[in-house]
Amino acid sequence: MTDLTKLTISAALDGMAAGDFSARELTAAHITAMEASNVLNAFITKTPEIAVEAATASDTRRAKGEAGLMDGIPIAMKDLFCTEGVLTTAASHILDGFTPKYESTVSGNLWNEGAVMLGKANLDEFAMGSSNETSFYGNVINPWRRAGDDHPLVPGGSSGGSASSVASFSAMAATGTDTGGSIRQPASFVGIVGMKPTYGRCSRWGVVAFASSLDQAGPMTRSVRDSAIMLEAMAGFDPKDSTSVDMSVPDFQSALSGDIRGLKIGIPKEYQLDGMNPEIQALWNQGIDWMKAAGAEIVNISLPNTKYALPAYYIIAPAEASSNLARYDGVRFGLRVEGKDLNDMYASTRAEGFGDEVKRRLLIGTYALSAGYYDAYYLKAQKVRTRIADDFKHAFQHVDAILTPTTPSAAFGSGEKSDDPLAMYLNDVFTVPASLAGLPGISVPAGLSGEGLPLGLQVLAKPFDEETLFKVAGVLETAANFTATPDDWWRG
Ligand code: GLN
């Protein structure tokens, strides 16, 4: 039998429909792969028993002709999604022992469509980070290494465990969440497809909040078609989330026509950074050529406020985080560190429960929201955010999609940026603007760096036009024909 872990979701669905193998066999192969990949530290909690039970139920459904969109597909669930009866940590010490009594809407939607949970994937603490080095449960390692160099590399973040599990063939796909780039950047670093839907497309209910006006769940997969299948399973209106949008969910797969003739693809000049890595520039040029060869029209556009996106994001996201994370007080969830009185208990719990990066964000956010600074920082950042959204609105009057690099570099080494928060924040330079504007974005693996590491290109589209996004991404994927995989040095 072919190696079941190497299949895409769509091929696995076909294989199960044809009776070539069962969901139980598919799941068993992935459990073995997951167990053999421990050195990558991609999972905080593994749930093989739940997986086997779900796979068995899936086989029964399929036999009755009742299979759902993702029936029998083994996936990793980012440990930011609340899962009923299964430890949910947000990779933070402060959520020690937190076992939700409810299921997040997105994970529930996936189980309703038959997906099988292999476990809860590691992440940066509260999804704050770009390297998966801030998890209380330890760093996640990228399955890729530089040619001829054993130094461990980061998988990107914050959805680093999701990225690493999919790239190492331990999970067929994974959920991620993206606040400023946490799906797209790690996808680019490990050579997979990472998609952030339009804000409001997927419910945030039951997802541990980081920055509520930015957080969005999305699929991390090994192909664009898989991304379309998985988004269809995840998305949908949810009355429990007031920011979820009441729109029907299209059959995203049917958008994959492979035909982008006549589509207008925008190339924003402001994404051409001073001192840009020549490899990234070359990849972007290559992407432009692929679009032209496929019959699209290339249009130069301007997004003049791009340079203010990162500074605005690093006010807004911490401000919202400082408010959201106020709920962790030692009373309602997880960890409690006793103190001499109530205030002391709060302070001791938060001092011990949060890691350094989270504390940095809470300090910045609390400062930006405090009386006297609110107007100067938070309000100003909100105004900048509106300008950035307007830039995109204007640009989308002339183009159907926008093509940019996903990240300013390939994956970097573990420890290389952990003492330099500003260098770390720069990872998000190409992903944050679309987050601020609430737009859908996708990273498609498009080439290898000189050191043999994957690099992604990003496509952006209009709000709720995921169909155009997938169509363009599909053409990019075909042109790039990215088939490289990491050597499996990690298998124990
Ligand atoms: N790297 C960014 C940050 O640290 C984005 C994180 C995310 O999208 N969750 O805030």
Side-chain angles (χ1 to χ4, degrees):
M1 196 185 287
T2 50
D3 183 351
L4 296 179
T5 65
K6 298 280 161 67
L7 299 174
T8 58
I9 293 176
S10 71
L13 289 172
D14 290 347
M16 287 187 285
D20 296 344
F21 47 86
S22 65
R24 260 167 313 166
E25 287 167 314
L26 189 64
T27 293
H30 283 89
I31 292 173
T32 305
M34 171 171 76
E35 297 297 353
S37 308
N38 283 335
V39 296
L40 301 177
N41 199 27
F43 289 88
I44 291 176
T45 305
K46 295 179 191 150
T47 56
E49 296 84 7
I50 294 177
V52 170
E53 202 178 302
T56 308
S58 169
D59 284 331
T60 309
R61 269 192 307 273
R62 193 172 293 281
K64 286 199 242 158
E66 292 168 1
L69 269 173
M70 294 268 290
D71 231 301
I73 302 298
I75 62 168
M77 184 60 59
K78 185 176 184 179
D79 204 14
L80 202 64
F81 292 85
C82 288
T83 40
E84 189 179 351
V86 178
L87 181 71
T88 298
T89 68
S92 182
H93 187 26
I94 210 155
L95 276 171
D96 270 5
F98 172 56
T99 304
K101 301 262 185 291
Y102 44 84
E103 189 73 36
S104 83
T105 298
V106 161
S107 55
N109 287 348
L110 285 163
W111 314 146
N112 285 339
E113 292 295 341
V116 169
M117 180 166 77
L118 291 164
K120 303 294 295 285
N122 205 342
L123 65 151
D124 278 302
E125 186 179 3
F126 283 106
M128 298 175 191
S130 301
S131 62
N132 218 133
E133 296 176 289
T134 72
S135 167
F136 178 69
Y137 296 90
N139 299 352
V140 176
I141 305 300
N142 191 329
W144 291 81
R145 297 204 285 208
R146 292 175 181 130
D149 181 350
D150 286 354
H151 187 74
L153 303 179
V154 305
S158 65
S159 312
S162 301
S164 192
S165 68
V166 176
S168 64
F169 303 94
S170 310
M172 201 151 243
T175 54
T177 62
D178 190 310
T179 302
S182 279
I183 289 176
R184 292 162 285 161
Q185 183 255 16
S188 177
F189 276 16
V190 305
I192 64 168
V193 176
M195 195 270 173
K196 180 196 95 76
T198 311
Y199 183 79
R201 182 62 97 177
C202 288
S203 170
R204 289 182 298 107
W205 195 80
V207 184
V208 176
F210 162 13
S212 307
S213 76
L214 296 156
D215 299 343
Q216 207 22 226
M220 302 178 76
T221 58
R222 289 196 294 261
S223 77
V224 173
R225 179 170 298 276
D226 287 3
S227 187
I229 296 171
M230 190 163 168
L231 180 63
E232 192 178 335
M234 295 167 71
F237 174 59
D238 178 9
K240 289 191 287 202
D241 171 5
S242 61
T243 61
S244 128
V245 173
D246 193 357
M247 279 175 82
S248 59
V249 179
D251 165 8
F252 294 118
Q253 273 197 85
S254 61
L256 300 174
S257 63
D259 183 2
I260 59 164
R261 281 173 301 172
L263 276 193
K264 296 194 172 72
I265 309 289
I267 307 298
K269 69 165 188 270
E270 290 79 6
Y271 281 55
Q272 219 122 30
L273 306 176
D274 289 342
M276 186 144 141
N277 179 339
E279 281 186 339
I280 303 291
Q281 182 66 55
L283 183 80
W284 195 12
N285 294 343
Q286 174 67 262
I288 294 170
D289 288 345
W290 286 329
M291 295 285 99
K292 276 190 209 156
E297 186 186 329
I298 298 298
V299 181
N300 290 317
I301 59 168
S302 172
L303 300 166
N305 292 292
T306 298
K307 63 172 175 293
Y308 304 118
L310 265 188
Y313 172 85
Y314 277 101
I315 296 289
I316 293 168
E320 293 186 17
S322 76
S323 163
N324 274 325
L325 272 60
R327 75 192 68 177
Y328 305 108
D329 55 6
V331 178
R332 285 166 292 183
F333 308 93
L335 181 75
R336 170 183 294 195
V337 179
E338 296 300 343
K340 56 183 187 307
D341 54 29
L342 188 62
N343 273 327
D344 194 40
M345 186 279 285
Y346 292 155
S348 308
T349 300
R350 288 170 67 85
E352 195 171 315
F354 291 134
D356 289 348
E357 182 59 26
V358 172
K359 284 181 187 153
R360 180 173 12 251
R361 307 276 180 122
L362 298 185
L363 289 171
I364 295 171
T366 307
Y367 181 83
L369 288 179
S370 56
Y373 297 104
Y374 183 90
D375 290 5
Y377 295 107
Y378 185 68
L379 215 58
K380 189 71 148 224
Q382 290 288 27
K383 288 181 182 164
V384 170
R385 181 178 189 174
T386 303
R387 291 283 182 102
I388 288 166
D390 285 345
D391 284 355
F392 280 110
K393 233 179 257 162
H394 294 140
F396 278 124
Q397 286 168 359
H398 309 288
V399 298
D400 302 292
I402 294 174
L403 180 74
T404 79
T406 308
T407 55
S409 73
F412 47 90
S414 299
E416 260 172 42
K417 297 192 181 178
S418 28
D419 293 333
D420 187 349
L422 288 182
M424 195 65 91
Y425 297 169
L426 274 175
N427 271 287
D428 306 321
V429 65
F430 298 133
T431 49
V432 150
S435 297
L436 289 170
L439 305 176
I442 191 167
S443 178
V444 177
L448 290 174
S449 73
E451 295 174 318
L453 299 177
L455 295 171
L457 284 172
Q458 175 179 240
V459 181
L460 305 174
K462 293 172 194 163
F464 298 103
D465 191 10
E466 281 87 357
E467 287 161 286
T468 299
L469 188 84
F470 282 128
K471 188 189 302 216
V472 175
V475 169
L476 196 59
E477 178 182 51
T478 305
N481 189 26
F482 184 89
T483 52
T485 52
D487 308 332
D488 54 1
W489 59 269
W490 69 84
R491 280 196 206 275

